[in-house]
Amino acid sequence: MSTIPKIVILGAGYGGILTAQRLQKELNYNEADVTLVNRHDYHYFTTHLHMPAAGTDSIEHTRVAISKLIDEFKIDLVKSNVQEIRLADKKVVLQDGTLSYDYLVIALGGEPESFGIPGLTEYAMTIRSINSVRLIRQHIEYQFALYKMDESRTDRLNFVVGGAGFSGIEFVAELADRIPQLCKEYDVDPNFVNVYNVEAAPTVLPGFDPELVEYAMDVLKKKGVQFKIGVAIKECTPDGVILATGEEIKSQTVIWTGGIRGNRLIEAAGFETARGRVKVDDYLRAPGHDNVFIIGDNSLMFNPEGRPYPPTAQIAMQQGVTCAQNVVAAIRGKELKKFVFSNKGTVASLGKGEAIASAFGKKYKGWVAAQLKKLVDMRYLFIIGGIPLVLKKGRFF
């Protein structure tokens, strides 16, 4: 009977893949059995999905085979869907089997938060996976084709994006860049196309410097984006959206980017959660479960001012590294390391050649910020795959 500890990692997103890579680096031969569970055999860059969704970049630039990122002699990759987490039994039920664990790392990623808005789940699309991105891209192109078959259906040329955080702003920027190409391809007058960005909060890109926010809005307005700020979507229908003001926007395309919650499997497992996220301790462990670590979109941590950290790729990556170190320390009976977030800065893309950034204590906008965005992306590619992955997937121009 093997006494080697079993480590199971659920999810191969930013946090999960960094955990796996650090474990294979730090564990000695035969010190532990490590299994990485993911529903796909590829890792995708969530922060890039807005580009292929709008049709401004290839899906292949947005994903990489997990087999290229891990040593399969050290880590077993299981392609399956997680059905249930049984804490009492120390088991994870998959679509096609069951895994036992001694240490569990939950990095399943989040789910769209609808905030209870009627019709949103049924009629809006979300930018959350490679498959959803394919659907959005094809749907947008199809609307142009359908409009040419019946030009009385002007609602087919109205595009509504709910939410003006990072995902919403970056997507509308790419969509605004794509519209002129689609108009040319389908012989549509660009003046007939409307791109709406609806946000319930009083500003776009909350947390960004007001000067940079103003710049971002100016850039996007010039690209044709129409903002409706401080106005909530009251209802989503088959015909479009109804705003809290009573205004109705007729549209066949509603993209929701308005929020992320934790994974429902975590709530079902019996953890105490806030919007599906678990308040973990300083070592990234779930309360009452020293052998269960929760990172990324599923974890809830607070900054020194007492506000929750937003669930970003940057924090998930850093959590992944600390999580792996702490799992190894737990196996060896050593002292665990507290997680301390190091903010490397924030960059938001505004389409081709445009961005805003806060980094190194300074503010950047325009072309310079766009180059910073590319550097950030290439740094991640280098971290997980070295120079070969940078050369294969990087965007240099």
Side-chain angles (χ1 to χ4, degrees):
M1 186 101 177
S2 173
T3 57
I4 297 175
K6 294 180 179 141
I7 304 168
V8 174
I9 306 166
L10 303 181
Y14 291 103
I17 209 72
L18 264 293
T19 301
Q21 289 189 325
R22 183 53 69 106
L23 281 174
Q24 72 185 15
K25 182 178 179 181
E26 298 211 359
L27 286 168
N28 298 321
Y29 177 72
N30 261 358
E31 191 174 6
D33 285 334
V34 184
T35 302
L36 175 61
V37 181
N38 199 57
R39 68 171 60 185
H40 306 294
D41 56 8
Y42 55 81
H43 164 78
Y44 60 86
F45 318 132
T46 311
T47 54
H48 276 205
L49 289 180
H50 59 281
M51 300 171 75
T56 55
D57 196 12
S58 163
I59 279 176
E60 290 311 310
H61 282 159
T62 314
R63 66 178 178 179
V64 59
I66 295 172
S67 60
K68 303 286 187 185
L69 304 177
I70 61 172
D71 183 342
E72 293 186 289
F73 288 104
K74 295 181 178 179
I75 295 178
D76 292 324
L77 174 62
V78 174
K79 181 183 171 185
S80 187
N81 285 313
V82 179
Q83 302 290 315
E84 186 183 356
I85 300 168
R86 294 181 181 170
L87 297 172
D89 301 330
K90 292 187 180 179
K91 292 182 186 297
V92 176
V93 180
L94 306 180
Q95 193 171 10
D96 44 12
T98 303
L99 289 174
S100 299
Y101 65 83
D102 295 296
Y103 295 92
L104 180 65
V105 178
I106 301 175
L108 286 167
E111 300 174 349
E113 174 61 91
S114 67
F115 299 106
I117 299 171
L120 204 61
T121 304
E122 294 84 358
Y123 304 117
M125 293 177 282
T126 57
I127 305 172
R128 289 305 299 165
S129 67
I130 295 290
N131 292 333
S132 71
V133 159
R134 280 198 190 98
L135 177 63
I136 291 169
R137 179 176 186 156
Q138 292 170 3
H139 174 88
I140 290 170
E141 293 174 1
Y142 192 42
Q143 296 313 302
F144 276 82
L146 287 173
Y147 169 75
K148 291 305 292 184
M149 298 295 290
D150 180 3
E151 295 191 359
S152 69
R153 292 291 304 275
T154 55
D155 59 326
R156 297 198 182 281
L157 299 183
N158 292 339
F159 301 93
V160 178
V161 179
F166 271 84
S167 297
I169 289 296
E170 292 190 324
F171 176 69
V172 292
E174 297 297 326
L175 182 57
D177 282 350
R178 182 86 196 287
I179 293 296
Q181 301 168 14
L182 289 170
C183 287
K184 187 175 181 181
E185 182 179 346
Y186 289 94
D187 300 315
V188 171
D189 185 340
N191 292 313
F192 293 163
V193 182
N194 296 291
V195 178
Y196 300 96
N197 190 200
V198 184
E199 172 57 58
T203 180
V204 309
L205 294 170
F208 251 111
D209 181 273
E211 178 190 340
L212 295 179
V213 170
E214 185 179 356
Y215 177 84
M217 290 186 71
D218 286 343
V219 167
L220 295 179
K221 284 176 182 175
K222 286 173 185 172
K223 291 186 177 190
V225 177
Q226 302 176 49
F227 288 100
K228 293 187 178 291
I229 307 302
V231 181
I233 292 177
K234 181 182 176 183
E235 185 180 354
C236 185
T237 74
D239 301 316
V241 294
I242 300 171
L243 306 184
T245 56
E247 179 186 359
E248 183 176 6
I249 302 175
K250 297 281 190 181
S251 173
Q252 290 300 301
T253 308
V254 180
I255 314 290
W256 177 248
T257 69
I260 296 296
R261 55 171 284 119
N263 198 291
R264 294 176 198 279
L265 287 169
I266 294 174
E267 292 173 306
F271 292 108
E272 186 178 335
T273 65
R275 282 176 57 191
R277 300 171 71 191
V278 177
K279 184 180 178 183
V280 295
D281 67 12
D282 291 342
Y283 309 101
L284 304 173
R285 298 175 302 188
H289 299 275
D290 288 350
N291 65 331
V292 178
F293 296 79
I294 303 180
I295 60 177
D297 292 347
N298 303 295
S299 70
L300 183 59
M301 298 196 83
F302 295 85
N303 64 20
E305 289 78 45
R307 291 192 297 272
Y309 285 115
T312 63
Q314 183 180 179
I315 194 169
M317 290 165 60
Q318 293 182 30
Q319 285 179 328
V321 172
T322 301
C323 177
Q325 292 170 335
N326 284 342
V327 171
V328 173
I331 288 172
R332 295 175 181 169
K334 300 284 182 66
E335 187 176 346
L336 273 60
K337 177 182 177 183
K338 287 187 177 182
F339 174 74
V340 179
F341 177 54
S342 173
N343 193 341
K344 308 295 185 188
T346 313
V347 189
S349 171
L350 303 174
K352 189 171 178 62
E354 284 281 4
I356 55 173
S358 296
F360 318 113
K362 295 182 180 179
K363 296 180 283 189
Y364 304 89
K365 53 192 175 186
W367 184 85
V368 173
Q371 304 319 301
L372 273 176
K373 172 72 172 171
K374 289 177 185 175
L375 285 173
V376 168
D377 293 342
M378 285 192 280
R379 176 178 176 269
Y380 177 66
L381 293 174
F382 179 77
I383 287 171
I384 65 169
I387 291 174
L389 190 60
V390 173
L391 294 175
K392 187 174 183 181
K393 303 288 184 180
R395 289 172 59 88
F396 299 96
F397 305 105

